[in-house]
Amino acid sequence: MAASIKRKPLWLGLALLGVLVVAATLGLYQLGVGQESDEPQSGPIAMPSTQGDFSLTQLGDDEIAIISFGYTYCPDVCPMNQAVKRQALAQLSDAQRERVVPVMITVDPERDTLDRMSEYMQFFGSEFIGLVGSQEQLTDVAERYGVIWRRVEAPESAMAYTIDHSASLFLVNREGEILQRVLYSPTPHGLVSALESELGS
């Protein structure tokens, strides 16, 4: 009986610790989700690109752009996002694929020149377009699309800094209306589903 009484505070302490860990995890998850606006304003996008001056208004009435934000020095999320776009396009019919324009907007205009972006986009396909705007253009578009980014200094690294940024994909029409926002995933299933629902057969 005495041993049981002694153990009780230990079990209570472990249970309380478990509750606190779960609460903290949920809090961090909600903070991460909250980094992107629930109702982005969207709107026009027009910037210099790897294929000349780009504007959403250049899209046809039945075309869709897949917009993502990233940078060429990104070690993981950005190349994965582009690979997911490529995999999703490969699962569409030829007619559907012709109506989709994959676009990445750099959040690192300081280092991402058009030449560098062009070289980077070629890894994923000739139809991939990279946009490099001014800091003012980036700030405007990112705010309207509910995208955040934050420079993180890395003095011990050869890169000098990295950039934390939102990783969602946006399906956008020529008016800049967000048709769907697809959360980041290392697989193309969510993007394929969203594209098929917008493009139809």
Side-chain angles (χ1 to χ4, degrees):
M1 177 69 79
S4 175
I5 292 174
K6 288 179 181 177
R7 278 196 213 95
K8 190 172 181 181
L10 175 62
W11 285 110
L12 285 174
L14 290 173
L16 179 59
L17 178 61
V19 170
L20 290 174
V21 168
V22 170
T25 301
L26 286 173
L28 288 172
Y29 172 76
Q30 290 170 351
L31 177 63
V33 170
Q35 289 177 343
E36 290 182 314
S37 168
D38 289 334
E39 296 182 1
Q41 300 172 26
S42 65
I45 295 175
M47 294 182 187
S49 88
T50 54
Q51 298 186 20
D53 288 340
F54 174 89
S55 172
L56 287 175
T57 58
Q58 296 168 351
L59 298 177
D61 290 335
D62 63 346
E63 290 184 321
I64 293 173
I66 311 173
I67 305 290
S68 65
F69 293 77
Y71 65 114
T72 64
Y73 287 86
C74 179
D76 40 36
V77 172
C78 304
M80 181 64 72
N81 255 345
Q82 307 318 304
V84 163
K85 290 180 193 177
R86 183 175 61 185
Q87 292 164 13
L89 289 172
Q91 295 186 37
L92 301 178
S93 69
D94 291 343
Q96 289 174 324
R97 195 179 309 118
E98 290 176 358
R99 296 166 53 197
V100 180
V101 180
V103 176
M104 186 180 98
I105 301 174
T106 183
V107 294
D108 188 13
E110 181 178 331
R111 290 185 298 199
D112 284 343
T113 63
L114 284 174
D115 284 344
R116 181 172 176 83
M117 282 287 279
S118 181
E119 183 179 356
Y120 185 78
M121 293 291 102
Q122 289 300 316
F123 283 116
F124 305 101
S126 59
E127 71 273 34
F128 279 67
I129 301 175
L131 272 56
V132 181
S134 65
Q135 196 67 49
E136 291 73 22
Q137 288 174 313
L138 171 61
T139 299
D140 171 56
V141 171
E143 285 181 354
R144 288 190 284 106
Y145 278 74
V147 169
I148 63 139
W149 80 98
R150 179 174 64 94
R151 175 170 167 151
V152 179
E153 300 299 331
E156 303 302 319
S157 168
M159 290 195 300
Y161 65 88
T162 60
I163 299 179
D164 291 342
H165 59 90
S166 304
S168 290
L169 303 173
F170 300 89
L171 303 190
V172 183
N173 63 18
R174 69 188 310 274
E175 283 79 31
E177 174 189 2
I178 296 175
L179 305 174
Q180 292 199 44
R181 183 172 72 184
V182 182
L183 297 180
Y184 171 76
S185 171
T187 67
H189 310 306
L191 180 57
V192 171
S193 177
L195 285 168
E196 289 181 338
S197 71
E198 296 301 332
L199 295 169
S201 56

